[in-house]
Amino acid sequence: MTTATPHRPAVSDREETAKRLLASSARKSYDPMIEVDWEAPVPDDKYGLTPEWSTLYGTALWDEMTLEQKVELTKHEAASVSSVGLWFEILLMQMLLRDVYGRDKHSRHVQFALTEVADECRHSVMFARAGERFGMPSYGPHPVIHKLGRIWGGFFKGANAYASVMAAEEILDMMQRDFMKDERVQPVTRTVSKIHVLEEARHIRFAREEVGRRLQGASWTRLQIERLNTAVVVYFVMKSMIRKDVYANAGLEPERAIAEAKANPHYKDKVRTSGTKLMQFLDSSGLVGGPSKRLYKRVNLL
């Protein structure tokens, strides 16, 4: 006599992805309070970030600066980048929690989303601690953009929210992959970057697959809205990365520094080249076109 095998419902692609990502999280997650040596000395001759990522690298002003001035500027730029990362991590956590609020908490999808929120909590503390360790100001985005973030945090959802989050994370990721490998960079920056890059790889995979699922069958009108909303978020994130007051705080003449940074062809090429992977994904998902192209061009991603 044979025993019938009970029917098991097919596992969705979403659940399979979440299951794999949960297993990855269990194998390799980090506690920044333990992994980062927060008491280690801050070397005087190490940059805050890879110098080629400085907004002034390659300009006449950069060539005139002493090593001490370059180090100080890159510390402020690193603090500005980290503060924007921290701001967006908080928005990301809000979006994820709203998205799973009404979903089945037994699902692997919801469980990975909650795991990601836990990761982002640690990342936010890590970014805050890094800025504190270098004795930097708490930069953050411009106050107007900060207020707009409150609106975004309470309004956007679905494919746009995941696309915006994925894009913002990839922008930070493309910088930090250089920071973590560069021995010219401060040890704290390198370790913070390594932790963030390794854990964000899971988050980016999660977001990318959600974008694809949620755009399936999207109408022409909806796709135009998703395109524009995603581009607006990317535009504001890119514009917020380096606050203008970093130059005065680093002891430079601000008007000249701002002008040279704005016109710097090296920095524009660096962003465009490093952002190729992100733009290819957005384009393949139907999220590049129409007015969105102008916004991406204005922040040097196209």
Side-chain angles (χ1 to χ4, degrees):
M1 180 178 178
T2 59
T3 304
T5 302
H7 173 71
R8 293 182 180 179
V11 178
S12 67
D13 289 343
R14 175 178 278 138
E15 285 292 276
E16 285 287 0
T17 295
K19 183 179 178 181
R20 289 195 301 272
L21 295 177
L22 280 167
S24 174
S25 297
R27 289 192 304 271
K28 190 172 290 187
S29 290
Y30 301 89
D31 182 347
M33 296 303 103
I34 296 172
E35 299 289 341
V36 182
D37 185 357
W38 298 108
E39 303 304 320
V42 177
D44 293 335
D45 60 344
K46 297 284 187 181
Y47 295 98
L49 46 71
T50 295
E52 288 80 5
W53 270 109
S54 173
T55 53
L56 288 179
Y57 184 88
T59 64
L61 179 54
W62 179 268
D63 291 339
E64 295 170 18
M65 292 164 61
T66 64
L67 175 60
E68 182 181 3
Q69 288 175 314
K70 293 173 181 177
V71 166
E72 186 67 11
L73 171 62
T74 57
K75 284 182 183 177
H76 282 274
E77 288 177 318
S80 183
V81 169
S82 290
S83 69
V84 170
L86 195 163
W87 164 66
F88 212 82
E89 301 281 23
I90 293 172
L91 290 177
L92 165 57
M93 288 186 277
Q94 293 177 42
M95 184 278 290
L96 282 171
L97 290 171
R98 284 198 315 275
D99 190 61
V100 303
Y101 184 78
R103 293 179 179 270
D104 177 10
K105 307 308 181 290
H106 291 176
S107 72
R108 295 293 184 267
H109 175 80
V110 170
Q111 290 169 27
F112 180 75
L114 294 175
T115 300
E116 182 170 342
V117 170
D119 290 344
E120 304 299 9
C121 280
R122 294 194 302 273
H123 295 171
S124 297
V125 174
M126 178 173 70
F127 287 143
R129 190 73 176 267
E132 176 190 2
R133 182 69 187 91
F134 290 138
M136 295 289 109
S138 180
Y139 284 106
H142 188 279
V144 173
I145 297 176
H146 191 271
K147 289 179 181 178
L148 289 173
R150 288 184 182 274
I151 298 172
W152 185 91
F155 177 73
F156 287 103
K157 59 183 179 179
N160 169 253
Y162 277 97
S164 301
V165 164
M166 181 274 302
E169 295 287 12
E170 288 228 27
I171 289 165
L172 194 55
D173 184 79
M174 71 187 187
M175 296 180 176
Q176 289 183 320
R177 285 184 181 275
D178 287 345
F179 302 171
M180 72 183 204
K181 296 179 290 187
D182 194 339
E183 294 186 359
R184 298 171 296 172
V185 171
Q186 292 284 341
V188 167
T189 302
R190 294 184 66 195
T191 307
V192 165
S193 298
K194 179 181 177 181
I195 290 172
H196 195 247
V197 164
L198 292 174
E199 295 192 337
E200 286 302 327
R202 295 190 290 264
H203 304 172
I204 290 170
R205 171 73 180 277
F206 185 64
R208 280 188 171 215
E209 295 202 12
E210 279 301 297
V211 170
R213 293 186 193 102
R214 298 187 188 214
L215 284 177
Q216 285 182 350
S219 66
W220 182 88
T221 301
R222 183 187 163 203
L223 195 57
Q224 305 314 302
I225 294 171
E226 298 283 7
R227 280 178 178 175
L228 184 58
N229 287 343
T230 301
V232 167
V233 172
V234 172
Y235 174 84
F236 281 125
V237 169
M238 288 298 297
K239 284 291 187 181
S240 300
M241 277 292 175
I242 305 295
R243 286 288 299 272
K244 291 181 179 179
D245 45 349
V246 301
Y247 305 111
N249 291 340
L252 302 176
E253 198 283 302
E255 289 187 5
R256 181 186 175 189
I258 291 168
E260 292 204 23
K262 186 176 181 181
N264 186 359
H266 170 83
Y267 188 77
K268 292 177 182 179
D269 289 343
K270 186 76 171 169
V271 171
R272 189 176 297 110
T273 302
S274 300
T276 299
K277 182 180 174 183
L278 165 63
M279 296 311 300
Q280 286 176 342
F281 172 76
L282 292 176
D283 189 34
S284 68
S285 301
L287 291 173
V288 178
S292 72
K293 282 190 173 181
R294 289 195 289 274
L295 289 173
Y296 290 126
K297 286 179 180 178
R298 289 186 67 178
V299 291
N300 308 307
L301 284 167
L302 282 178

